[in-house]
Structures are given as C-alpha cells and as structure tokens.
Amino acid sequence: MKSSGSAPRRITILGSTGSIGCSTIDLVERNPGVYEIEALTAHSNVEKLAAQARLFRPRLVVIGDETLYGALKEALAGTNIAVAAGKDALVEAATLPADWVMSAIVGAAGLAPTLAAVRRGAVVALANKESLVCAGDLVMAEVERAGATLLPVDSEHNAIFQVFDFDRVESVERLILTASGGPFRTLARSDMEKVTPEQAVAHPNWSMGAKISVDSATMMNKGLEVIEAAHLFPVPEARIEVLVHPQSVIHSMVAYVDGSVLAQLGSPDMRTPIAYALGWPKRMAAPSARLDLAALGTLSFEAPDPERFPALRLARQALQTGGAAPTVLNAANEVAVAGFLARRIGFLDIARIVEETMDRAVAVRLSSLDDVHAADAEARRIASDLVASAG
Ligand code: NAD
Ligand code: MG
C-alpha cells in the first residue's frame, strides 16, 4: 500500500515483455499510484511493448532489434513517449535515473544494461542470472564500487537472501539450492535423445521463458545458479549443494554450524520473489497462491543424477577453473539451446556441445568487459560450428 505523502517510486523494467517482465508489470498494475515507469525494453515483441507503454506512459521505450524501430515508433505515434532501438539504447534505458531496475533480459545480452544500472548505484532486482555467470567478478566489483544494491530475484537466491545471516557469515555452513529436476527428472538417458522442444519447455511447476525452461530440463539452470550463488553469497562452491525437490515448495535453504537449517517456502509463482525485491526493504502483498501444506501432504527430496544431467558437473568445473570458463559455458549453452529450440540438434547435444566448447576455448583471465565480450564471442563461434556439424 502506498504510504501517505510519499512520491511514486520510479522504476525501469529491462525485458518487460518476458515472463519475469510481465509478472513485474502485473504487480505494478495491482498497485496504482505507487510506481512510475521510467523505461521499458524488449527485444522484438513490438505489440506487447507498445501496449505496456500506452498503459504506463514511460519516459523511454526501447526495442533491442533495430529493424523494428519504425514499427515501434508507429505503434506509439501521438503519445510523445521517446522511442529508441539497439544495444546502446538498452544501456541508455538502464542509465535513466530510476530508483529500482528489474534486470529481466534473458542471456548475456542483459550484461551491459545490468552493469549500467549497477554503475549508477541503483537498486537492481536481478533475474538475469547469465550476467553473473558470464561476468560475476566484474559485476560484483562494480556493485561494491558504486554502492549499488543487488536483490536476487531467482527464486532460489531470493530464498537464500531471505534466510541468510549476513551479520554472522562465519556461522553459515552450507547453501542448499533446491531443483525441481525439470520435466525429464525420471526419464532414462536413452529416451532423452528423442525429446522435442515442446516437451522440454513444458516445465512441471513453473511457467517461464523458453531458454530457462530448456535449461531446467538439462539442469544447466541449476549449474548456472550454483555459479550465481557463489557470486551473491560469501560461500565457496564446495559448500553449495544441489538437492532435487520435485514439488518446488522449498525454494532453497541455508544450513548453519549449529545444525539449524532455515528455508523459505512458497507456491511456485515468481511474483513472490519479484514482490520481495519490489517492496524491499518492506514487504508488499503478492497474489501468489497461498501454500496449503496439508493439501500437498508430502514433500520429497533426492540427489541429482550426474549421469543423466552432466550440465551440473560442467558448471561446477567452470566455476572451479574460473577466469573465462563460466563465460564460455554460458555462451556455448545459449548457442546450443537456441540450436535445440530450432530443431537443429538433439537434447543430449546441448551438454555435449557445451563440454566440447569448454575443451576447445582458450583459457583466458578476465580483467575487463572487453575480455568478457571476446571470450563470449569466441565460445559462440566454436559452439555454432559444433551445432552446424551436428545437424
Ligand atoms: P523470456 O524469454 O520470457 O523474456 C526475456 C525478455 O528479454 C523479453 O522481454 C525479451 O524481449 C528480452 N530479450 C530477449 N533477448 C534479448 C536481447 N538480445 N536483447 C534485449 N532484450 C532481449 O525470459 P524470462 O523467463 O522472463 O527470463 C528472463 C531472465 O530471468 C533470464 O535470465 C532467466 O534465467 C531469469 N529467470 C526467469 C525465471 C522465470 O520464472 N521466468 C525464474 C528465474 C530466473
Ligand atoms: Mg531459479
């Protein structure tokens, strides 16, 4: 609820037409007068972006795909809302003086705009885990330097953020990231060969964008999240565990030295972690279904299977190697997932191509954003060749 007399909070949503973007818009819409939108961005969905813009009247609207500039301009004719297109314009959107920025672009494409918001010391709600995977040290150094606030939106990291004792870090023994196991949790490896993009994106618990849905099916998503957690929390990789929990009710846990384990629970609806970040440091109401544990009856747990889900091992290996290895892992995965969604490669090719790209890419240290871009581009070249030769 709006506190009396306070000015509306100015917010920007990067990736406003996506799954996370639309859930954020939903919360904003439920709280009229509380938020004013500074900027909205999308990649190619002109229609949805224009509809959001007409509703919220932001200062700037950006379409990532430059060829769609004319279409967006036309769709917003007569509104006096500024329209721009292209990568630099995405950065410009993040640079406008919003108090709070939702970073919900998918993939490494979110890195530059996320960094721009971080660099001006904003409160950044981070859904775009790939920016931490491909440039975690750089992003976290900029957060520190600029005094920015990073609020994790990824449900696992948001859960940990809520139960992590930042004042007594030494008392934390382990992080336990829960994983649903995805749609192929119980499928034999031999049957994974033939699964289709439609089957892979049909997640049992969460409704999400296509890329993260495929990542959940390979469990690369959990691998990316181990890397994300290692940057967000002062806990080394060896003490970040993954636990399969098919019901997605416990979103993650923190284990303490005295044997206590603190968990955050909720129904699988991203509007809860988004509301946590949007309301922060207060709590705001969210319409997510309330947990009915008696109706659920049972929560179950199992260890992840490294044979059927090799992506988890690859992500841990990348984190241990450090330098550009996670950048390479992420870029190769983006290319392979796009190849799978386009039916150019099979499901099991995804992890194979990531592993081969990691073997072939030259190991470099990352000391600047240019280094990140170079490592990312090299990995994309290698992985694209592997996709082409697999097809
Ligand atoms: P999505 O595909 O539904 O939406 C992605 C958004 O980014 C869209 O607005 C799209 O227009 C924009 N976009 C895509 N490519 C772009 C590019 N090259 N340049 C600029 N903009 C581009 O994805 P999503 O499921 O909303 O996920 C967004 C991010 O949040 C991802 O990093 C994902 O891992 C993370 N995340 C999502 C969920 C979820 O439940 N959907 C949960 C946890 C984390
Ligand atoms: Mg997650």
Side-chain angles (χ1 to χ4, degrees):
M1 204 181 293
K2 188 180 170 184
S3 54
S4 56
S6 67
R9 207 167 177 209
R10 298 202 64 83
I11 71 169
T12 283
I13 306 174
L14 306 169
S16 65
T17 57
S19 165
I20 294 288
C22 289
S23 292
T24 309
I25 293 269
D26 178 78
L27 291 170
V28 170
E29 236 181 324
R30 286 168 193 273
N31 291 275
V34 180
Y35 304 98
E36 258 173 39
I37 299 196
E38 190 81 4
L40 295 175
T41 82
H43 183 57
S44 56
N45 193 338
V46 169
E47 205 177 322
K48 193 180 269 183
L49 183 60
Q52 291 174 339
R54 284 187 176 274
L55 197 59
F56 294 104
R57 302 278 159 165
R59 191 137 71 108
L60 174 67
V61 178
V62 175
I63 191 88
D65 181 342
E66 282 178 273
T67 64
L68 296 170
Y69 173 77
L72 182 61
K73 187 89 189 151
E74 194 175 317
L76 290 177
T79 61
N80 78 22
I81 298 168
V83 172
K87 285 186 186 170
D88 292 346
L90 292 170
V91 170
E92 187 192 335
T95 307
L96 291 182
D99 307 315
W100 187 92
V101 177
M102 167 54 80
S103 162
I105 290 172
V106 60
L111 174 60
T114 302
L115 262 181
V118 163
R119 281 179 175 150
R120 60 177 184 77
V123 176
V124 178
L126 187 79
N128 175 233
K129 66 191 86 184
E130 293 92 345
S131 58
L132 277 189
V133 173
C134 72
D137 290 339
L138 283 173
V139 172
M140 296 312 289
E142 288 293 301
V143 168
E144 184 77 19
R145 194 193 53 76
T149 302
L150 212 52
L151 300 173
V153 168
D154 210 349
S155 58
E156 298 75 5
H157 308 73
N158 184 267
I160 291 170
F161 191 81
Q162 293 195 40
V163 295
F164 194 96
D165 192 344
F166 287 96
D167 294 328
R168 285 175 291 183
V169 167
E170 66 291 346
S171 66
V172 173
E173 194 173 75
R174 287 169 299 137
L175 303 183
I176 304 163
L177 291 178
T178 52
S180 68
F184 309 137
R185 181 175 61 87
T186 59
L187 201 66
R189 192 168 161 83
S190 55
D191 292 328
M192 288 185 186
E193 201 101 51
K194 322 181 262 295
V195 299
T196 63
E198 289 73 18
Q199 291 169 313
V201 300
H203 196 278
N205 306 336
W206 299 92
S207 155
M208 311 183 284
K211 192 261 178 182
I212 185 178
S213 297
V214 176
D215 285 347
S216 299
T218 58
M219 288 195 76
M220 180 60 88
N221 183 49
K222 214 48 56 180
L224 301 179
E225 290 183 355
V226 169
I227 299 175
E228 182 185 11
H231 287 294
L232 286 172
F233 306 104
V235 178
E237 183 266 335
R239 292 197 277 122
I240 304 175
E241 287 177 13
V242 171
L243 176 68
V244 175
H245 164 44
Q247 296 82 17
S248 300
V249 165
I250 297 182
H251 296 310
S252 276
M253 302 179 251
V254 178
Y256 289 90
V257 289
D258 60 2
S260 298
V261 177
L262 301 194
Q264 185 262 0
L265 287 70
S267 62
D269 184 332
M270 287 306 292
R271 290 177 299 183
T272 292
I274 295 169
Y276 182 89
L278 187 56
W280 186 89
K282 298 182 182 162
R283 285 203 187 250
M284 65 183 278
S288 318
R290 271 33 184 173
L291 260 192
D292 184 345
L293 288 170
L296 265 164
T298 313
L299 298 182
S300 59
F301 305 93
E302 62 201 43
D305 179 350
E307 301 303 320
R308 291 183 304 126
F309 299 99
L312 267 178
R313 167 179 56 82
L314 298 176
R316 286 197 185 273
Q317 189 185 312
L319 186 53
Q320 287 159 4
T321 305
T327 319
V328 169
L329 168 99
N330 178 68
N333 182 57
E334 286 188 31
V335 170
V337 169
F340 171 69
L341 286 170
R343 298 176 208 278
R344 298 179 66 197
I345 60 170
F347 183 74
L348 291 177
D349 290 328
I350 299 173
R352 184 183 60 73
I353 286 173
V354 171
E355 181 154 27
E356 239 176 281
T357 306
M358 287 170 70
D359 288 345
R360 289 196 203 176
V362 186
V364 290
R365 281 171 48 91
L366 299 179
S367 37
S368 69
L369 199 53
D370 285 346
D371 294 346
V372 173
H373 289 317
D376 176 276
E378 194 208 357
R380 280 174 205 267
R381 267 192 307 275
I382 298 170
S384 300
D385 285 348
L386 292 168
V387 168
S389 59

